[in-house]
């Protein structure tokens, strides 16, 4: 099956995330981006997989977690810097030449390009696995009018292994190399609406992204690359305290997390996920803040998720009354539904 057919099938089956470039023809035909394109230069830049001196998440000071793809400075900026250096070299050596840089948000399917270029093979978890670096790599491309001899694709070495498929907590890896992005927990952490309840119990303390299908891969064993200073993780940023996130202003959020890839959807998804994480921990110290959000936050998703979390955490009449009071004043149907869930959780514990 051609790449175009696979992309069409992904959309028809409802497996696309919606974050993809909307024009399938442009995703498979580089000449629609650069008319006289002769070559695509593909690069892979390694990122770390281990967090030195990770702070502990403890009762009263619970912490969340940003996936490895969000450690350090936003990889789009880092890879664009590397690609720009390659462009400058091409200009110096070859004179007049046209180029277009792409990092993730470009039209082309960067994994398909990397596979064709021999960077690695497209694995069952849908990541590119490189022989030297595993799958902990970011991909980037340069389209150019310069002709270069093509590289050869390399052998797929997944074999009979399907640890990634077996470890996927939602069954999002429906078959080798086929991802239902809608069911992927990485996607779910990036949505802005109410997270479906079936996923809330599975994300744990994850604030952004999901790494399990890479962590279990044998080709990632002992892979941990820290050679790029920009990708060095700040423990307090990638494993932040949850409670301060709930009342953080936009200005403070941008100052603290705006340089990270995981901030690209803004603070609301991160705050929603932090509330779910506090419910996961059953962190009673969060109840006053959650009740305040339920009463006064202007965003239905935050009010409703707070109501749900209050019910998960508490079994007291005080929080039951807070939910009942909120119910009297609430107009949003989705929030009212979450308040009912919270009340039922508390009542079931009595």
């Amino acid at each position: 099956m051609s790449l175009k057919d696979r992309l069409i099938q992904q959309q028809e089956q409802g497996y696309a995330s919606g974050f993809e470039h909307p024009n399938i023809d442009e995703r498979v035909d580089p000449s629609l981006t650069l008319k006289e394109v002769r070559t695509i230069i593909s690069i892979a830049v390694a990122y770390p997989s281990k967090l030195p001196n990770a702070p502990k998440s403890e009762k009263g000071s619970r912490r969340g977690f940003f996936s490895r793809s969000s450690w350090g400075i936003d990889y789009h900026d880092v890879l664009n810097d590397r690609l720009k250096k390659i462009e400058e070299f091409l200009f110096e050596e070859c004179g007049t030449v046209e180029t277009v840089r792409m990092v993730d948000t470009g039209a082309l399917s960067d994994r398909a390009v990397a596979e064709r270029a021999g960077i690695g093979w497209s694995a069952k978890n849908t990541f590119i696995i490189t022989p030297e670096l595993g799958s902990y790599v970011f991909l980037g491309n340069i389209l150019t009018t310069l002709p270069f001899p093509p590289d050869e694709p390399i052998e797929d070495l997944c074999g009979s292994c399907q640890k990634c498929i077996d470890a996927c907590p939602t069954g999002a890896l429906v078959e080798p190399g086929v991802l239902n992005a809608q069911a992927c927990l990485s996607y779910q952490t990036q949505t802005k609406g109410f997270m479906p309840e079936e996923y809330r119990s599975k994300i744990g303390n994850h604030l952004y992204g999901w790494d399990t299908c890479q962590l279990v891969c044998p080709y990632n064993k002992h892979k941990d690359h820290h050679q790029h200073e920009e990708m060095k993780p700040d423990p307090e940023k990638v494993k932040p305290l949850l409670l301060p996130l709930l009342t953080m202003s936009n200005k403070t959020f941008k100052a603290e997390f705006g340089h990270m890839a995981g901030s690209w959807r803004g603070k609301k998804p991160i705050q929603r996920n932090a509330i779910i994480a506090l419910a996961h921990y059953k962190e009673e110290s969060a109840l006053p803040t959650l009740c305040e959000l339920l009463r006064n936050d202007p965003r239905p998703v935050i009010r409703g998720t707070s109501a749900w979390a209050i019910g998960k955490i508490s079994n007291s009449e005080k929080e039951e009354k807070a939910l009942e009071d909120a119910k009297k004043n609430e107009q949003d149907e989705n929030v009212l539904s979450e308040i009912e869930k919270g009340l039922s959780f508390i009542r079931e514990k009595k």
Side-chain angles (χ1 to χ4, degrees):
M1 185 183 296
S2 70
L3 173 61
K4 183 175 181 178
D5 288 338
R6 293 203 305 271
L7 295 175
I8 291 171
Q9 186 180 73
Q10 182 189 43
Q11 288 193 345
E12 290 176 346
Q13 293 176 320
Y15 290 168
S17 70
F19 298 151
E20 303 90 354
H21 187 78
N23 189 314
I24 287 181
D25 287 329
E26 291 179 9
R27 293 178 70 186
V28 302
D29 185 351
S31 69
L32 296 177
T33 299
L34 181 60
K35 187 175 181 181
E36 303 298 328
V37 63
R38 299 286 299 278
T39 303
I40 306 175
I41 300 170
S42 179
I43 69 169
V45 176
Y47 59 89
S49 66
K50 293 181 172 33
L51 179 62
N53 306 311
K56 291 183 178 180
S57 182
E58 299 174 325
K59 186 175 181 180
S61 57
R62 299 296 189 181
R63 292 178 179 270
F65 187 76
F66 281 82
S67 76
R68 289 153 180 81
S69 65
S70 186
W71 291 4
I73 295 173
D74 189 332
Y75 66 90
H76 298 88
D77 297 332
V78 178
L79 265 71
N80 262 306
D81 174 73
R82 302 301 190 270
L83 292 171
K84 189 176 180 181
K85 287 179 169 62
I86 295 173
E87 278 184 326
E88 290 170 351
F89 174 79
L90 295 178
F91 297 152
E92 289 174 6
E93 294 295 317
C94 306
T96 302
V97 55
E98 291 185 69
T99 60
V100 175
R101 298 194 304 271
M102 289 187 179
V103 179
D104 191 29
T105 55
L108 291 180
S109 174
D110 52 5
R111 291 176 187 170
V113 172
E115 185 179 18
R116 284 279 299 274
I119 291 266
W121 70 92
S122 187
K124 292 178 181 178
N125 63 5
T126 73
F127 284 85
I128 289 293
I129 296 180
T130 70
E132 309 92 338
L133 308 171
S135 65
Y136 295 124
V137 294
F138 296 122
L139 303 173
N141 309 310
I142 296 177
L143 281 65
T144 177
T145 51
L146 284 172
F148 284 97
D151 288 298
E152 293 295 325
I154 64 175
E155 181 184 0
D156 183 331
L157 297 177
C158 283
S160 61
C161 176
Q162 58 174 32
K163 288 184 177 181
C164 56
I165 295 173
D166 295 338
C168 181
T170 64
L173 288 169
V174 293
E175 60 182 86
V178 178
L179 175 71
N180 176 3
Q182 299 284 327
C184 177
L185 291 180
S186 179
Y187 166 79
Q188 287 296 328
T189 63
Q190 298 174 63
T191 59
K192 291 188 175 183
F194 284 95
M195 183 179 290
E197 193 163 1
E198 65 190 283
Y199 301 122
R200 297 180 199 179
S201 63
K202 297 182 185 298
I203 69 165
N205 72 334
H206 286 73
L207 299 172
Y208 174 85
W210 194 258
D211 291 325
T212 296
C213 58
Q214 293 196 85
L215 290 170
V216 300
C217 177
Y219 288 101
N220 282 334
K221 192 173 182 180
H222 305 308
K223 296 290 194 299
D224 181 33
H225 301 280
H226 292 260
Q227 59 263 50
H228 301 285
E229 186 66 24
E230 303 101 316
M231 294 176 183
K232 181 180 179 181
D234 179 341
E236 289 295 328
K237 295 291 188 294
V238 304
K239 200 176 177 185
L241 289 167
L242 291 168
L243 206 50
L245 286 170
L246 303 191
T247 55
M248 189 171 285
S249 68
N250 285 328
K251 182 178 180 181
T252 302
F253 179 81
K254 288 178 181 177
E256 293 286 321
F257 301 101
H259 65 284
M260 298 170 61
S263 71
W264 80 284
R265 297 282 281 170
K267 73 173 183 175
K268 185 168 76 170
I270 304 298
Q271 289 179 318
R272 178 203 62 187
N273 299 340
I275 293 168
I276 295 171
L278 288 163
H280 164 75
Y281 285 123
K282 293 184 167 41
E283 182 54 54
E284 293 182 2
S285 70
L287 287 170
T289 302
L290 293 172
C291 288
E292 179 65 21
L293 292 173
L294 172 62
R295 285 190 297 267
N296 295 318
D297 198 282
R299 300 162 295 176
V301 167
I302 299 301
R303 295 199 305 277
T305 308
S306 294
W308 175 87
I310 289 166
K312 283 288 186 180
I313 297 168
S314 176
N315 61 359
S316 77
E317 292 183 4
K318 180 181 178 182
E319 277 72 45
E320 183 178 9
K321 183 177 185 305
L323 289 169
E324 288 285 7
D325 290 344
K327 181 179 173 182
K328 294 173 186 175
N329 300 314
E330 185 58 61
Q331 301 297 315
D332 189 281
E333 291 297 325
N334 289 319
V335 179
L336 286 168
S337 175
E338 297 295 332
I339 291 173
E340 290 293 350
K341 291 176 188 176
L343 287 168
S344 68
F345 295 149
I346 291 176
R347 290 164 183 166
E348 285 170 5
K349 297 171 196 170
K350 292 185 175 181

